[in-house]
Amino acid sequence: MQGIAAFPHSSQPRLVDLQEPSAPSARQVLCRTLQLGICGTDREILDSQQPHCPPGEPFLVLGHECLARVESLGALSPQQAICLSDRLSGADRGIQVGDLVVPVVRRALPQFSRRRVDMLAVGQFTERGIFDEHGFSVPYWNDEPRYLMRVPPELRQFAVLTEPVAVAAKGVNEALLLQQARLEDGIWTSPPPRVLVTGMGPIAFAAALVARARQWPCAIYGRDSEDSSRARLTRDLGADYVHQDRFEFSPQTIERDGYDLILECTGAESVVLATAPALRSCGVMVWLGSRRNPQPTSCNLGRLIRDGLIRNNLFIGCVNAAPRDFAEALARLDDWRRCSPPLLARMITDRLAPTDALDHFTARRRDSIKTVIEYPT
């Protein structure tokens, strides 16, 4: 079988020949990849030319946004067959052949498993397709049920979006948790927070999905023209579209017109510095995007520091997602599937075969959102 891999000292993805996985061990199940999302993280890995390959391996198999089907089971005990979604819901059904699943990406190394996995430091975990462990851009792979979230069959068309929506859900959950801790229980309920999402990529639209599913007023900040497909999708989701050239606030109107929560999805210093002044008092900016190898600049951070200090703003670094966030992502996707499946379908702008996907790992079309690889079944 073939996978899509990143090699050290190269920015180009390559198809590599791999052995098919052996029969699942006693603790594992064999999964078959159905769909794979291409992510900005994949492009950052390639652009860095420094993939974190598994020990002893010359390359890293990419792919971490995956929908799969369980093909066969190892000799699992009833306890070992309990998948992650069962553990979260309190069910005891256990994984079964034919189940649709999405895998979580980050896995704690055994000695660090007591802390929540998305809060571990580098070196305390692996991430499939990202850090020290091969990913899912292969037809078959083995995994343990404790890393798998079961997907309802009716969500099959959209479940490949689970991982990016989980990342956005974590940003919202962390901001809400901190606001409740420092202000009061029930904060951001009545009235709801005003939310600004920066960027027009998949994480940004995932963030808008999460905010709008909570019925929070939301705007997306971008550089597309007002009549672009992504600007139209923004408005169809019930969010406002704010072009970067028309984003202006005065200190006198911040408390009236500013934002309580900014979900920053670009990783661009210029966007952070342009939008952070629009945070109201006690507002929160969550950083959901970054550059893998940031370069030094001469940006003046003085205003960010001064405004943040005076207004008691919070700035949160937010990476990966907790199991609770994967569960919320599936719930939010199901909310949108029930109320407007055509809108959700517009999040996926390209569907490709694996052999046609290599160019999409190095560049994204300007008007695209999510590119998905379809594997033959």
Side-chain angles (χ1 to χ4, degrees):
M1 66 179 186
Q2 288 189 315
I4 300 169
F7 284 78
H9 314 299
S10 173
S11 61
Q12 297 301 310
R14 287 161 50 184
L15 288 171
V16 293
D17 292 320
L18 300 162
Q19 283 191 327
E20 290 195 9
S22 57
S25 71
R27 300 176 65 91
Q28 294 180 323
V29 298
L30 175 68
C31 297
R32 180 172 189 158
T33 300
L34 302 177
Q35 297 179 353
L36 186 83
I38 299 177
C39 175
T41 300
D42 299 315
R43 299 184 183 105
E44 290 281 347
I45 291 170
L46 289 161
D47 187 59
S48 75
Q49 302 186 30
Q50 296 176 338
H52 290 278
C53 305
E57 296 283 350
F59 55 77
L60 171 70
V61 175
L62 295 169
H64 58 278
E65 300 177 1
C66 181
L67 170 68
R69 183 177 64 225
V70 175
E71 297 288 291
S72 65
L73 311 179
L76 300 167
S77 68
Q79 184 60 32
Q80 290 167 341
I82 300 297
C83 65
L84 179 56
S85 50
D86 290 336
R87 295 179 191 276
L88 293 173
S89 67
D92 58 1
R93 171 179 177 269
I95 205 79
Q96 296 177 17
V97 171
D99 281 347
L100 298 177
V101 293
V102 292
V104 297
V105 179
R106 182 177 288 194
R107 290 96 190 279
L109 297 177
Q111 64 269 40
F112 302 109
S113 59
R114 291 188 176 183
R115 180 180 288 188
R116 206 175 83 187
V117 66
D118 58 310
M119 293 297 180
L120 293 174
V122 174
Q124 298 178 348
F125 59 82
T126 64
E127 290 178 330
R128 291 203 63 162
I130 301 175
F131 193 88
D132 283 0
E133 192 168 0
H134 288 317
F136 305 111
S137 64
V138 288
Y140 296 97
W141 41 275
N142 285 325
D143 214 337
E144 297 182 40
R146 61 182 173 143
Y147 298 127
L148 303 176
M149 297 287 295
R150 186 183 295 107
V151 173
E154 59 270 21
L155 203 52
R156 173 174 175 155
Q157 184 181 356
F158 309 114
V160 72
L161 299 171
T162 302
E163 197 274 342
V165 174
V167 171
K170 177 186 173 180
V172 169
N173 285 327
E174 294 296 286
L176 184 57
L177 181 67
L178 290 169
Q179 289 295 78
Q180 290 173 338
R182 69 176 183 151
L183 298 177
E184 59 182 332
D185 290 339
I187 195 71
W188 286 1
T189 54
S190 182
R194 281 171 48 83
V195 180
L196 179 69
V197 175
T198 61
M200 304 194 79
I203 295 294
F205 276 99
L209 287 177
V210 172
R212 292 300 300 135
R214 290 174 176 262
Q215 302 300 309
W216 289 355
C218 178
I220 291 183
Y221 169 103
R223 58 187 179 185
D224 284 17
S225 65
E226 295 281 353
D227 62 349
S228 71
S229 60
R230 296 191 297 190
R232 290 195 299 272
L233 177 58
T234 297
R235 291 187 287 266
D236 290 344
L237 289 171
D240 295 325
Y241 178 57
V242 183
H243 192 278
Q244 63 180 16
D245 294 340
R246 290 180 287 281
F247 187 79
E248 294 182 358
F249 283 87
S250 68
Q252 292 75 29
T253 63
I254 290 299
E255 296 308 312
R256 183 190 70 196
D257 300 329
Y259 296 95
D260 302 289
L261 173 63
I262 299 179
L263 299 168
E264 206 299 298
C265 304
T266 70
E269 284 181 355
S270 59
V271 175
V272 171
L273 294 174
T275 57
L279 277 173
R280 288 171 165 170
S281 295
C282 295
V284 182
M285 175 178 274
V286 181
W287 295 327
L288 293 174
S290 69
R291 305 295 165 86
R292 191 177 179 90
N293 290 314
Q295 300 300 310
T297 70
S298 57
C299 288
N300 184 348
L301 297 178
R303 182 178 180 184
L304 179 76
I305 295 169
R306 178 67 176 172
D307 287 350
L309 183 153
I310 291 174
R311 297 180 189 154
N312 287 293
N313 295 149
L314 289 180
F315 297 88
I316 306 172
C318 193
V319 67
N320 202 261
R324 59 139 200 229
D325 306 312
F326 274 85
E328 179 173 344
L330 286 167
R332 298 304 181 195
L333 287 170
D334 198 46
D335 290 342
W336 280 100
R337 178 195 64 82
R338 292 171 184 272
C339 71
S340 187
L343 274 180
L344 199 54
R346 286 163 61 187
M347 292 274 292
I348 301 174
T349 46
D350 301 277
R351 292 183 182 271
L352 308 165
T355 52
D356 298 328
L358 294 187
D359 288 346
H360 289 255
F361 276 88
T362 55
R364 190 182 74 198
R365 287 193 298 106
R366 180 173 174 78
D367 60 345
S368 71
I369 301 174
K370 175 58 65 179
T371 297
V372 170
I373 302 172
E374 299 269 8
Y375 283 76
T377 58

